[in-house]
Amino acid sequence: MRIVLIHPNYHSGGAEIAGNWPPAWVAYLAGYLKNDGYADITFIDAMTNRLTHDQVADALRALKPDVIGATAITPAIYEAEALLKLAKATCPEAVTVLGGIHGTFMYQQVLTEAPWIDAVVRGEGEQVFLDLVRCVDDGRWQQERGTVKGIAFLDGEQVVATPAAPPIKDLEKIKPDWGILDWKNYLYIPTGRRVAIPNMARGCPFTCSFCSQWMFWRDYRVRDPKKVVDEIQELVEKHDVGFFILADEEPTIHKKKFVEFCQELIDRGLPDKVQWGINTRVTDILRDEALLPFYRKAGLVHISLGTEAAAQLKLDRFNKETTVAQNKKAIQLLKAAGIVSEAQFIVGLENETVETLEETYNMARDWNPDMANWAMYTPWPFSDLFKELGDKVEVFDFSKYNFVTPIMKPEAMDRATLLDRTMANYRRFYMRKAFLEYPWTRDRRRRSYLLGCLKAFLKSGVQRTFYDLGKVGYWGPQTKKNVDFHFDEARTFDQRKAAAVPHNAMWKTMHRPKAKLDKANADAASQSALAAKACGGGTEQLTEEQMDRAAPPAAVAAKLSGGGTQQLPEGVQAPPRD
């Protein structure tokens, strides 16, 4: 049994300006397969190596795989579909499989527009993909694919969604095969070292309406901190990794285990060999004020905060449950502890104006974080907020849903002006940092890191890759009239059908803080209300006992990802039952 895994060649000028990110998904998936005896696995990183379709086809012809798998976030979905079409044409006997978050929630549309995909893996992929591979290996695929839990496929013209597979309870069963990656390709520009993206937890105990992490992973599970450090030590000693970013949405949620993780790094002397960064919530920083120097001692050098907006009205709209004053204080605390602070701003909603964009710049000046990022608001097509926006969403070209392309058109200005004013914020902010702050930072390690970040910005600016500026034709304010975002207007989206898909219907009943659940779930309901309060950074914090109980109740979680009991919409067929 020969398996080929492919990472699509998609670029957008967003986070990748900091370097080439290793596709962690393939290491975890390959390790899980190899642990069960499937060792003939080849990885093709078309993104990092910028491979053409002809080059991928040549590799597939030489390998002659039995199963070909690709993954896709929303903006990469069309490229993933095209790759699997190429794979099916090159190796017609191979089973083509798509995984990832977009396929999980949008499998009906994916299978309709890409019928050459034999199966979509929904949700957490390791066990589901292993079961699929076993089915193919045993020669049962054509007759018994409906018995594989957690997938969707076409049966004639009907979409079949099998019951959801249960989450993997013991994450320590997943032993990643980091050796499958060609590590010389994955460099983090700010430090000039190899970079990795391990994870300490999966999922999130909170159920924010604008986030899909809790939906995708379902149960919140935290790994043994010592086992995570074992993994990091392997990355450092075997693969010369010098920087890592925890893949967790908010790794500080479980305070006790995060502290254990930091202590384990210190006890093994790893902070002298590797630095790292995280994303987290403002209130966790306020909660852990006394621990911040300890976190820095453990090698934590960079924290990105979901500050989101400069105006309190916008914070309230995002349900952040934080205040502008809290955001400013968190940034001050990080800087005092010697940790690089990054403020995140969401711009580009329908009510954005030149004045509100200027407000975010002035607020960034006032807060004075080490770094600032202005991301375009991107309404995920599988989110409730997408539906609520209705006809305000005019662009259905998902390849542009990348946080750098203005998907929403503000009522008070055109998209080119939105891009131009956002770039003006970047120019002014980082010019000031470059001349007046970064070179004069007293802390040598902070200074080196900040100058490295500036190098990454300058490199992407010169190459015109930042924010896809070269592709859209933006060279400054004087070129606004010539900006073209190249939206594929032929792309459409049937929101009625999408809303009818079972996982979306279940999601609508779960993410509301005060939803009325069955009496059997009364205890879980109280936990959900607490979680929703803390979700955006409110005053509540989960205790360790609550953390263990915060996952969705089993009866509800089992219905997610299309495996529920709701009536299936037109065009979606239930799998045959024994």
Side-chain angles (χ1 to χ4, degrees):
M1 170 63 68
R2 176 164 293 174
I3 302 164
V4 171
L5 303 174
I6 309 176
H7 197 72
N9 184 14
Y10 176 84
H11 301 270
S12 67
E16 63 190 272
I17 69 167
N20 292 325
W21 304 102
W25 68 273
V26 74
Y28 288 103
L29 200 61
Y32 203 75
L33 291 168
K34 290 183 176 181
N35 189 54
D36 205 74
Y38 292 98
D40 192 350
I41 305 172
T42 301
F43 175 51
I44 300 174
D45 190 347
M47 179 179 179
T48 300
N49 296 308
R50 296 180 179 268
L51 300 181
T52 65
H53 282 193
D54 287 343
Q55 289 173 309
V56 173
D58 289 342
L60 291 175
R61 271 190 287 269
L63 290 166
K64 297 181 175 61
D66 300 291
V67 175
I68 303 170
T71 188
I73 56 175
T74 292
I77 186 59
Y78 302 141
E79 177 59 21
E81 290 175 354
L83 269 181
L84 291 177
K85 184 177 184 179
L86 171 77
K88 180 61 73 173
T90 306
C91 306
E93 300 303 316
V95 174
T96 53
V97 184
L98 176 73
I101 193 165
H102 189 89
T104 291
F105 299 118
M106 304 288 289
Y107 60 84
Q108 183 185 20
Q109 181 174 10
V110 167
L111 291 170
T112 300
E113 66 188 14
W116 50 84
I117 296 176
D118 292 315
V120 172
V121 170
R122 304 185 339 265
E124 189 172 42
E126 286 88 357
Q127 186 62 50
V128 176
F129 191 60
L130 174 59
D131 292 342
L132 184 153
V133 167
R134 285 174 178 163
C135 190
V136 175
D137 193 23
D138 294 343
R140 301 181 288 110
W141 176 249
Q142 289 302 324
Q143 291 75 31
E144 300 182 26
R145 53 187 173 165
T147 65
V148 178
K149 290 184 177 180
I151 67 171
F153 56 88
L154 278 176
D155 185 3
E157 295 184 357
Q158 298 295 313
V159 176
V160 175
T162 66
I168 299 172
K169 294 298 182 184
D170 181 8
L171 293 181
E172 304 311 332
K173 291 171 58 179
I174 305 173
K175 306 292 184 184
D177 176 21
W178 292 112
I180 199 170
L181 299 174
D182 187 354
W183 283 99
K184 70 177 184 297
N185 292 330
Y186 306 111
L187 296 177
Y188 187 57
I189 294 174
T191 62
R193 298 291 306 277
R194 294 179 181 181
V195 60
I197 313 177
N199 76 306
M200 187 165 70
R202 287 189 174 184
C204 181
F206 307 133
T207 55
C208 297
S209 62
F210 53 80
C211 181
S212 60
Q213 285 293 314
W214 71 272
M215 267 200 305
F216 184 83
W217 299 109
R218 296 183 288 166
D219 283 354
Y220 176 64
R221 293 147 289 159
V222 187
R223 297 175 58 194
D224 180 344
K226 291 186 177 181
K227 298 293 180 61
V228 181
V229 177
D230 285 344
E231 196 173 311
I232 290 168
Q233 188 164 5
E234 176 189 343
L235 287 165
V236 171
E237 296 177 353
K238 289 189 177 181
H239 304 294
D240 195 28
V241 167
F243 194 87
F244 69 86
I245 296 176
L246 285 178
D248 306 33
E249 189 73 9
E250 293 170 358
T252 56
I253 289 176
H254 202 304
K255 179 179 176 180
K256 179 181 178 182
K257 290 203 172 185
F258 187 74
V259 169
E260 290 177 5
F261 170 75
C262 291
Q263 187 63 59
E264 192 68 24
L265 288 170
I266 294 170
D267 291 345
R268 301 192 197 187
L270 287 171
D272 294 331
K273 303 174 183 178
V274 63
Q275 297 186 85
W276 49 291
I278 62 171
N279 297 284
T280 197
R281 300 181 302 150
V282 165
T283 50
D284 281 10
I285 300 303
L286 302 180
R287 178 198 70 192
D288 295 349
E289 177 179 354
L291 286 168
L292 295 179
F294 169 70
Y295 294 162
R296 182 64 189 90
K297 182 180 178 182
L300 178 55
V301 66
H302 184 165
I303 294 182
S304 179
L305 296 170
T307 49
E308 314 302 9
Q312 190 61 47
L313 283 175
K314 276 194 175 181
L315 287 174
D316 294 342
R317 181 179 183 183
F318 291 146
N319 195 32
K320 291 300 295 183
E321 298 190 17
T322 54
T323 66
V324 171
Q326 286 176 320
N327 291 340
K328 182 176 182 178
K329 182 179 180 181
I331 289 167
Q332 292 173 336
L333 291 175
L334 290 178
K335 294 183 72 174
I339 299 173
V340 171
S341 60
E342 179 179 0
Q344 300 277 354
F345 295 100
I346 302 295
V347 299
L349 278 78
E350 79 283 358
N351 60 349
E352 196 75 76
T353 65
V354 171
E355 290 75 21
T356 58
L357 284 167
E358 188 68 17
E359 285 176 9
T360 64
Y361 172 71
N362 290 331
M363 192 62 72
R365 284 285 308 276
D366 179 56
W367 295 351
N368 197 28
D370 296 304
M371 301 172 65
N373 179 42
W374 284 266
M376 294 294 174
Y377 176 67
T378 303
W380 298 123
F382 39 80
S383 73
D384 221 20
L385 294 179
F386 185 93
K387 180 182 178 182
E388 290 173 10
L389 286 167
D391 58 8
K392 292 179 181 179
V393 182
E394 303 172 334
V395 175
F396 304 105
D397 179 355
F398 295 146
S399 67
K400 307 300 183 183
Y401 280 50
N402 49 27
F403 296 107
V404 302
T405 305
I407 299 302
M408 306 294 294
K409 180 190 176 302
E411 297 170 358
M413 58 179 161
D414 57 33
R415 289 183 175 89
T417 301
L418 171 59
L419 177 66
D420 176 60
R421 299 321 303 160
T422 301
M423 290 303 104
N425 285 355
Y426 274 110
R427 283 193 297 268
R428 291 180 291 172
F429 183 86
Y430 283 101
M431 283 185 66
R432 184 178 182 84
K433 293 292 183 181
F435 289 106
L436 300 179
E437 294 190 28
Y438 290 173
W440 320 114
T441 302
R442 292 184 178 182
D443 185 316
R444 180 181 59 83
R445 295 183 72 180
R446 285 187 82 251
R447 181 173 67 249
S448 175
Y449 185 83
L450 290 168
L451 290 174
C453 291
L454 182 63
K455 175 184 176 182
F457 272 109
L458 292 174
K459 181 179 179 181
S460 65
V462 171
Q463 296 175 341
R464 312 304 296 162
T465 55
F466 180 62
Y467 253 70
D468 260 354
L469 298 182
K471 292 181 182 178
V472 303
Y474 178 84
W475 293 85
Q478 71 279 5
T479 63
K480 280 197 305 179
K481 293 182 179 179
N482 300 321
V483 168
D484 184 354
F485 295 106
H486 306 287
F487 294 128
D488 184 350
E489 297 181 1
R491 297 285 183 179
T492 60
F493 183 68
D494 190 333
Q495 295 198 39
R496 180 186 61 82
K497 286 187 177 180
V501 172
H503 60 70
N504 282 338
M506 177 55 64
W507 178 42
K508 288 179 66 178
T509 68
M510 286 192 63
H511 83 270
R512 303 297 188 188
K514 299 182 184 297
K516 293 183 179 179
L517 303 181
D518 295 337
K519 290 184 178 180
N521 295 331
D523 183 62
S526 64
Q527 290 300 315
S528 295
L530 175 61
K533 175 69 174 176
C535 137
T539 57
E540 301 282 2
Q541 294 289 345
L542 297 185
T543 65
E544 292 174 32
E545 180 182 1
Q546 290 166 338
M547 193 68 64
D548 294 332
R549 296 161 53 197
V556 178
K559 296 179 182 179
L560 285 170
S561 299
T565 58
Q566 297 83 1
Q567 182 177 356
L568 296 176
E570 180 182 355
V572 181
Q573 177 181 313
R577 299 188 180 277
D578 294 336

